[in-house]
């Protein structure tokens, strides 16, 4: 997610402002861009006879079954298919015929779409923060803000990756789908304001993670068209790769007759609700690889019987392996934003420039997505500010009449109210930890998710430092020359942000001079949540699930920290990196 495939932000703001378009149709011919992509209902199950299951191969068994065609899963499947048969199962549709996904100007609509065929699946953490998961081929790269930047060299050393292979894997991604952005006037003003505020030096355009201000890459081309991880599948071996969309894996299947449980396949449902079983070949190195993101991967392990024994037994799940760490120590990088109104039309832009500070915060910016009459006058259902604005009202008083009153007031707002942009402040390396737990055994339902934002005092201190940096940017000469705001407007902007409908956390609007309270009241997500299947706790350093055979997890759920300012580059790199490592090891054994 992670969405990772990552760079998503300000869901409630988006869903407050924009019209909702329906998800892509199942039957649109353009959605199957590559011949190996098919609907899940086309799957031909293997015969059920004992002789079949004794076979060592066959067209309907696979060397690798990858669960999740997302940010890591697509480059991983592409790489493994060079030498071995791969079945890639994605619960969502494809991004190719979905205008909500394909074009930057529709970025907000994909997130606001709460239909069952939407590319995004909304959830609300128990903290009261709106959030979202990708549900589409390409994962988070299909619905994020597109910013592309690498992890730091220090991060790569700390996690123990092979630096040479890392530096070969990043360009493999970049040469196919990454572009240099054309900075908008808003982005240039924020860039220059950051340098003036002391986030220096200016490092120009670079993918590298360097202290100071820089312009990073983007997966949007100069025409505003998105290029997702799904396009990396174009490099696959079409003879060895099968991709099924609308294939929702229900559980991993294990052979428990040996000394250790061994994954030998998965059960999945197609778009018509029919159940299928996909099986691995009998070759010793064949594996199920889970790449379902920081929410989906621990959720699938738990439903499949790997997790805390007591929790599993409460839901009558047969315990395959007792592991208390599955779904634990999850983090989400807290985000706080300040909206800056401007008395002119602002060109839409997503993340293009970033400030990397030594105080443990990152500064980013977006602009121009609120400027249409339809955006103001529409109704967005459960994810909208019609619900979010009621966070200041006790639950029993959140009446239908109160919702109608808010809608009426919103319709009376002038369009000028929504002209402007956001400056975003994100906490790097949060120390506050959370967890997920199953509510039931339905894989389609979100588990209960808690991030415990700002429960660690160091995170709150970083946020205060970050807001003070944003204040300096707002007061900088470069920025005020563009916005024409006087320096006295800064406190007014902070006060306005406190009143914004960004989450379901009760507001303290009488305490806006306390930046600590501002951070707590206005926290949202930038969709960079991670953890839940940590290395050393759930998986080994080569991402094999501890205590079982034939099973790996390769995605952002294995991270203890979100890499770089925005993680999608490193999650895609990891898919390629691990694909190459697995090939080298397996081919070496078979030589």
């Amino acid at each position: 997610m992670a969405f990772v495939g990552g760079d998503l932000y300000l869901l409630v703001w988006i869903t407050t402002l924009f019209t909702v378009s329906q998800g892509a149709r199942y039957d649109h011919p353009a959605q199957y861009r590559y011949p190996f992509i098919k609907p899940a209902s086309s799957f031909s199950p293997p015969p059920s006879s004992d002789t079949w299951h004794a076979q060592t191969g066959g067209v309907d068994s696979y060397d690798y079954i990858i669960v999740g065609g997302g940010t890591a899963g697509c480059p991983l499947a592409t790489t493994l298919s060079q030498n071995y048969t791969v079945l890639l199962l994605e619960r969502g549709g494809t991004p190719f015929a979905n205008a909500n996904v394909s074009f930057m100007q529709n970025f907000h609509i994909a997130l606001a779409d709460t239909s069952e065929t939407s590319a995004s699946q909304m959830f609300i953490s128990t903290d009261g923060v709106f959030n979202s998961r990708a549900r589409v081929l390409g994962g988070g790269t299909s619905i994020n803000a597109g910013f592309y930047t690498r992890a730091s060299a220090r991060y790569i050393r700390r996690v123990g990756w092979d630096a040479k292979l890392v530096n070969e894997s990043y360009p493999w991604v970049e040469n196919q789908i990454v572009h240099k952005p054309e900075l908008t006037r808003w982005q240039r003003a924020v860039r220059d304001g950051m340098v003036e505020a002391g986030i220096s030096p200016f490092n120009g355009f670079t993918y590298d993670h360097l202290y100071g201000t820089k312009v990073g890459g983007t997966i949007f081309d100069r025409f505003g068209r998105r290029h997702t991880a799904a396009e990396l599948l174009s490099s696959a071996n079409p003879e060895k790769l099968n991709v099924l969309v609308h294939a929702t894996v229900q559980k991993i299947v294990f052979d428990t007759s040996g000394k250790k449980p061994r994954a030998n396949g998965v059960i999945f449902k197609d778009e018509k609700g029919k159940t299928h079983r996909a099986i691995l070949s009998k070759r010793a190195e064949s594996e199920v690889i889970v790449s379902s993101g920081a929410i989906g991967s621990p959720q699938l392990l738990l439903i499949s019987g790997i997790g805390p024994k007591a929790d599993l037994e409460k839901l009558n799940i047969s315990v395959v392996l007792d592991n208390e760490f599955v779904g634990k120590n999850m983090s989400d990088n807290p985000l706080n934003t300040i909206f800056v109104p401007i008395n002119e039309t602002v060109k839409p832009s997503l993340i293009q420039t970033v400030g990397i500070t030594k105080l443990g915060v990152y500064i980013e910016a977006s602009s121009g997505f609120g400027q249409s009459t339809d955006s103001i006058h529409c109704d967005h259902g459960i994810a909208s500010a019609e619900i979010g604005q009621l966070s200041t009202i006790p639950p029993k008083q959140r009446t239908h009449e109160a919702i109608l009153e808010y809608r009426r007031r919103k319709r009376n707002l002038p369009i000028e109210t929504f002209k402007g942009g956001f400056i975003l402040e994100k906490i790097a390396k949060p120390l506050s930890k959370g967890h997920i737990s199953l509510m039931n055994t339905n894989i389609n339902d979100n588990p209960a998710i808690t991030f415990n934002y700002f429960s660690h005092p160091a995170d709150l201190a970083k946020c205060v430092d970050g807001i003070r940096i944003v204040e300096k940017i707002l007061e900088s000469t470069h920025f005020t020359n563009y916005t024409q705001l006087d320096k006295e407007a800064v406190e007014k902007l902070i006060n306005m942000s406190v009143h914004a409908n960004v989450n379901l956390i009760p507001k303290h609007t009488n305490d806006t001079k306390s930046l600590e309270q501002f951070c707590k009241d206005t926290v949202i997500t930038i969709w960079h949540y991670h953890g839940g299947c940590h290395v050393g706790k759930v998986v080994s350093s080569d991402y094999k699930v501890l205590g079982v055979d034939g099973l790996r997890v390769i995605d952002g759920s294995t991270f203890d920290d979100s890499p770089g300012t925005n993680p999608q580059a490193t999650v895609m790199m990891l898919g390629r990196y691990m694909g190459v490592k697995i090939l080298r090891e397996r081919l070496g054994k078979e030589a």
Side-chain angles (χ1 to χ4, degrees):
M1 212 281 262
F3 256 63
V4 187
D7 307 350
L8 306 178
Y9 68 102
L10 207 53
L11 176 60
V12 179
W13 164 61
I14 290 166
T15 52
T16 300
L17 298 182
F18 295 95
T19 51
V20 178
S21 175
Q22 292 301 309
R25 294 161 47 208
Y26 287 161
D27 59 350
H28 196 297
Q31 69 179 305
Y32 304 116
R33 174 178 292 185
Y34 309 122
F36 45 76
I37 300 177
K38 297 176 182 179
S41 57
S42 68
F43 182 73
S44 299
S48 57
S49 67
D50 293 337
T51 19
W52 171 270
H53 292 290
Q55 289 183 357
T56 58
V59 294
D60 289 306
S61 65
Y62 300 88
D63 294 305
Y64 296 97
I65 297 173
I66 300 174
V67 183
T71 310
C74 285
L76 177 62
T78 295
T79 304
L80 292 176
S81 74
Q82 302 308 312
N83 294 88
Y84 297 100
T85 57
V86 179
L87 175 65
L88 178 62
L89 300 171
E90 167 53 45
R91 69 185 184 128
T94 76
F96 306 121
N98 189 336
N100 293 352
V101 167
S102 297
F103 300 101
M104 189 183 71
Q105 68 264 29
N106 295 338
F107 162 73
H108 53 280
I109 301 177
L111 294 178
D113 180 4
T114 57
S115 69
E116 290 186 359
T117 58
S118 172
S120 64
Q121 180 181 2
M122 190 195 76
F123 68 90
I124 304 173
S125 71
T126 63
D127 314 277
V129 174
F130 290 88
N131 217 314
S132 192
R133 305 166 57 187
R135 184 171 51 195
V136 61
L137 193 67
T141 66
S142 294
I143 58 174
N144 66 16
F147 193 65
Y148 183 97
T149 180
R150 297 181 179 187
S152 67
R154 180 180 180 182
Y155 185 101
I156 291 165
R157 288 193 300 270
R158 183 176 63 80
V159 298
W161 290 334
D162 178 339
K164 182 176 183 294
L165 182 53
V166 165
N167 290 325
E168 292 170 355
S169 299
Y170 275 123
W172 181 85
V173 175
E174 293 154 6
N175 292 336
Q176 297 185 73
I177 64 170
V178 185
H179 303 264
K180 182 178 180 179
E182 297 178 358
L183 262 64
T184 64
R185 190 180 176 198
W186 166 266
Q187 295 284 341
R188 291 196 300 270
V190 174
R191 174 199 64 191
D192 296 342
M194 287 193 292
V195 175
E196 186 179 335
I199 309 176
S200 59
F202 176 58
N203 294 307
F205 170 73
T206 178
Y207 297 141
D208 293 336
H209 187 89
L210 304 170
Y211 287 119
T213 297
K214 73 166 196 172
V215 176
T218 177
I219 58 173
F220 290 102
D221 63 26
R222 63 191 180 94
F223 302 108
R225 188 173 186 91
R226 182 191 295 271
H227 297 273
T228 77
E231 293 185 28
L232 300 174
L233 294 170
S234 65
S235 298
N237 179 348
E239 301 300 318
K240 292 185 177 294
L241 177 62
N242 286 312
V243 179
L244 297 181
V245 292
H246 304 297
T248 305
V249 173
Q250 306 297 302
K251 64 183 295 186
I252 303 162
V253 180
F254 295 92
D255 177 359
T256 57
S257 61
K259 292 183 179 179
K260 290 169 63 176
R262 182 177 189 84
N264 61 16
V266 299
I267 303 292
F268 70 93
K269 285 187 178 180
D270 63 26
E271 72 277 14
K272 298 177 181 178
K274 185 177 179 180
T275 300
H276 304 269
R277 177 170 178 168
I279 63 171
L280 289 174
S281 75
K282 295 294 184 179
R283 299 183 182 96
E285 301 298 318
S286 296
E287 294 176 314
V288 173
I289 303 176
V290 181
S291 297
S292 300
I295 305 299
S297 289
Q299 181 187 22
L300 182 59
L301 291 188
L302 290 168
I303 288 176
S304 301
I306 297 177
K309 181 178 180 180
D311 294 347
L312 300 180
E313 289 178 339
K314 287 178 184 177
L315 292 172
N316 295 318
I317 297 173
S318 297
V319 179
V320 173
L321 179 73
D322 181 11
N323 185 327
E324 63 178 310
F325 299 109
V326 177
K328 301 299 191 295
N329 290 315
M330 296 190 65
S331 298
D332 188 19
N333 299 77
L335 182 73
N336 296 83
T337 71
I338 293 179
F339 178 70
V340 183
I342 301 176
N343 192 27
E344 64 177 61
T345 299
V346 181
K347 185 176 180 180
S349 69
L350 296 173
I351 314 301
Q352 295 181 331
T353 185
V354 62
I356 301 173
T357 76
K358 293 185 178 181
L359 296 176
V361 296
Y362 303 134
I363 309 297
E364 301 179 348
S366 66
S367 65
F369 276 91
Q371 301 169 170
S372 75
T373 304
D374 288 342
S375 298
I376 299 169
H377 294 166
C378 65
D379 169 22
H380 303 283
I382 192 170
S384 70
E386 285 86 335
I387 302 300
Q389 62 92 27
L390 299 176
S391 60
T392 57
I393 302 174
K396 292 183 179 179
Q397 297 178 32
R398 296 176 188 177
T399 63
H400 180 66
E401 289 73 21
I403 295 174
L404 292 176
E405 170 61 18
Y406 180 79
R407 289 175 180 167
R408 184 189 65 77
R409 287 190 286 112
K410 189 176 72 169
R411 283 196 296 270
N412 293 333
L413 291 173
I415 190 171
E416 288 77 19
T417 303
F418 299 97
K419 290 185 176 181
F422 283 83
I423 298 181
L424 298 77
E425 177 266 338
K426 167 192 168 182
I427 303 301
K429 303 177 183 177
L431 298 177
S432 304
K433 303 296 181 183
H435 62 275
I436 73 167
S437 56
L438 297 179
M439 303 290 288
N440 55 48
T441 57
N442 185 346
I443 196 71
N444 296 306
D445 292 345
N446 291 311
I449 304 165
T450 302
F451 293 117
N452 291 318
Y453 299 103
F454 298 126
S455 60
H456 196 290
D459 294 344
L460 192 58
K462 286 182 181 179
C463 180
V464 171
D465 289 339
I467 297 301
R468 286 176 176 153
I469 292 172
V470 173
E471 289 177 335
K472 291 181 181 179
I473 296 168
L474 293 172
E475 295 172 348
S476 68
T477 301
H478 285 94
F479 197 72
T480 55
N481 285 346
Y482 171 55
T483 61
Q484 298 300 306
L485 294 172
D486 56 51
K487 294 189 177 182
E488 288 70 34
V490 173
E491 185 174 337
K492 294 179 182 178
L493 292 177
I494 292 176
N495 290 345
M496 183 173 66
S497 297
V498 169
H499 286 272
N501 311 303
V502 297
N503 57 39
L504 296 179
I505 297 172
K507 305 297 185 290
H508 298 76
T509 53
N510 61 342
D511 192 19
T512 56
K513 291 185 178 181
S514 166
L515 291 183
E516 288 86 355
Q517 197 62 57
F518 173 84
C519 289
K520 292 178 180 179
D521 285 357
T522 64
V523 64
I524 55 175
T525 182
I526 195 168
W527 280 256
H528 296 169
Y529 47 79
H530 52 278
C533 295
H534 286 291
V535 173
K537 301 292 187 180
V538 178
V539 298
S540 63
S541 59
D542 55 2
Y543 303 100
K544 294 181 178 179
V545 175
L546 299 171
V548 300
D549 290 328
L551 182 63
R552 298 194 203 221
V553 177
I554 300 176
D555 59 23
S557 70
T558 64
F559 295 166
D560 63 1
D561 178 25
S562 183
T565 64
N566 302 64
Q568 72 164 348
T570 302
V571 179
M572 285 189 280
M573 182 282 294
L574 179 64
R576 171 63 176 181
Y577 173 95
M578 284 305 302
V580 171
K581 283 201 72 175
I582 291 169
L583 286 182
R584 288 176 178 175
E585 291 169 6
R586 184 165 180 177
L587 290 170
K589 291 179 181 179
E590 295 175 354

